[in-house]
Amino acid sequence: MSRGAALRAVRAPAGRPDPFYAGGMYARRRRAYFLLMGGCLVLFVSAWAFVRLWSVPAAVGMCVVAMVIPPVAAMVANRRGPDDRWWDDPSGDPKSDEWWDELDNKKHRP
């Protein structure tokens, strides 16, 4: 069995979607992140491409706003949603859960 097939077998138990690559969860995060970062780039480039010709203080203000956006984008992209699976939740695969519980020195969950 190849390495990729083994990872898919562990990650995606039968009858359940893959929790690590759930389409909606990560698509929402990616979309929000890229929209925020795209806005950051638009602000920065437009500030020094043509806004500075009319008002340097406005261009500097736009850059300050653009400077604040990347940390906010990272927080938005990494925020846990109400339907997101947390890192220590059981995956649904008994062997995998037992193995991780043993590594984390936890008792086996029923």
Side-chain angles (χ1 to χ4, degrees):
M1 178 182 287
S2 71
R3 182 172 181 253
L7 288 174
R8 281 190 298 276
V10 170
R11 285 187 184 158
R16 285 189 52 186
D18 188 353
F20 295 103
Y21 296 103
M25 173 175 51
Y26 287 113
R28 175 185 46 84
R29 290 179 181 179
R30 267 194 312 266
R31 190 176 313 116
Y33 178 79
F34 286 121
L35 282 173
L36 284 167
M37 291 305 289
C40 175
L41 286 173
V42 166
L43 280 172
F44 186 76
V45 170
S46 64
W48 296 113
F50 56 87
V51 173
R52 69 174 171 88
L53 300 174
W54 290 285
S55 173
V56 172
V60 170
M62 289 172 69
C63 284
V64 169
V65 171
M67 178 182 70
V68 173
I69 292 175
V72 172
M75 288 185 273
V76 166
N78 290 311
R79 184 184 61 206
R80 179 181 179 216
D83 297 332
D84 295 351
R85 183 177 166 268
W86 193 235
W87 66 274
D88 60 349
D89 285 345
S91 67
D93 180 19
K95 282 187 174 183
S96 176
D97 291 339
E98 183 179 346
W99 185 74
W100 283 108
D101 288 344
E102 181 182 335
L103 284 176
D104 293 336
N105 293 324
K106 293 181 182 178
K107 290 185 176 181
H108 183 65
R109 296 183 184 115

